[in-house]
Amino acid sequence: MNNKVKLVSILSENKDLMMILNILDTFNLKQYYIHGEIIYQSVWNYLENRTMSYNNRRIAIVYYDESDVSLRKEVQVEKDLLRILSRYGMFYEISIHNAARVYLERCKHPILNRAVEGNSEQVLNEASMSIRSIGIRQVKGELQVYAPYDVKDVFDKVLRPIYHANASGQTYIRHCNIIQKDWPSVQV
């Protein structure tokens, strides 16, 4: 079984994650992905025979919608998702970003003003480390994985930095410190 298939199999067992994906489908967010902590910690929980929800506190969501790039839309989606999740007794910190808004802000920036693709995948391509670049979404009931740097590091518990034009060593170090508090066995 290849690693992407194994990843989908493991994530499919996370009932909270699957419910969140089902809820997000009703929001009609364009090009959305769930990424970050809930992905890699679900795998690590599985590998260490813990419950899938152990230590999972955060959900990161990115989507791309040029039709409404207001911060107000992101805040409203976050509030709506939190409200629905609370009905099911699920309480997470949620980070949601419209990549189209981020892209437009970057185009206005005097230093970051450079040609980049305008899509959700670009945000994942520019994550601080490989395990944070893995995104999943549900399309017609099937999980799709976007992993520009493969998924091997998540199974090996390796915090590998990603080098790109917007890379920040400080962000990578901050993320490593946060992850190592909960998972001291990870490899930096």
Side-chain angles (χ1 to χ4, degrees):
M1 175 184 315
N2 76 37
N3 282 337
K4 277 191 181 178
V5 172
K6 188 175 177 181
L7 178 70
V8 167
S9 175
I10 291 169
L11 295 178
S12 296
E13 293 183 32
N14 185 328
K15 290 177 178 49
D16 283 6
L17 179 59
M18 296 310 296
M19 181 176 283
I20 293 163
L21 286 164
N22 288 330
I23 293 167
L24 285 175
D25 280 351
T26 68
F27 284 31
N28 296 313
L29 295 176
K30 298 176 182 173
Q31 296 183 27
Y32 84 88
Y33 288 97
I34 293 178
H35 63 102
E37 185 176 297
I38 196 165
I39 304 299
Y40 59 80
Q41 287 199 155
S42 293
V43 173
W44 296 348
N45 286 335
Y46 175 85
L47 294 174
E48 295 192 10
N49 294 312
R50 294 181 173 152
T51 64
M52 285 290 189
S53 60
Y54 175 79
N55 218 21
N56 269 330
R57 299 176 297 269
R58 294 180 197 92
I59 302 168
I61 302 165
V62 63
Y63 68 100
Y64 189 90
D65 185 357
E66 291 177 329
S67 69
D68 187 349
V69 294
S70 68
L71 186 57
R72 182 177 59 240
K73 166 78 183 229
E74 292 175 27
V75 170
Q76 189 59 52
V77 170
E78 181 180 332
K79 284 181 182 178
D80 291 346
L81 184 56
L82 286 169
R83 182 179 39 80
I84 293 168
L85 292 177
S86 70
R87 288 185 201 155
Y88 295 100
M90 293 190 284
F91 302 97
Y92 288 93
E93 294 173 29
I94 296 177
S95 168
I96 184 160
H97 299 287
N98 182 352
R101 183 182 59 76
V102 174
Y103 172 71
L104 289 173
E105 288 177 5
R106 182 180 291 167
C107 288
K108 295 175 190 174
H109 193 281
I111 296 172
L112 300 177
N113 184 4
R114 62 183 183 82
V116 294
E117 293 179 47
N119 57 42
S120 299
E121 287 86 0
Q122 186 63 32
V123 172
L124 299 176
N125 293 345
E126 294 184 356
S128 63
M129 59 184 65
S130 59
I131 64 167
R132 295 178 60 85
S133 71
I134 301 167
I136 62 156
R137 65 181 171 190
Q138 188 170 256
V139 177
K140 296 180 182 177
E142 297 289 323
L143 283 184
Q144 290 185 348
V145 175
Y146 179 77
Y149 306 100
D150 198 31
V151 299
K152 185 178 182 319
D153 288 346
V154 78
F155 289 102
D156 294 341
K157 292 188 185 176
V158 172
L159 306 182
R160 187 177 318 282
I162 298 173
Y163 301 100
H164 52 78
N166 296 318
S168 164
Q170 292 173 334
T171 301
Y172 170 74
I173 291 167
R174 182 172 47 86
H175 287 159
C176 286
N177 290 336
I178 291 168
I179 293 168
Q180 285 180 305
K181 284 180 187 172
D182 294 327
W183 299 94
S185 63
V186 297
Q187 302 170 44
V188 179

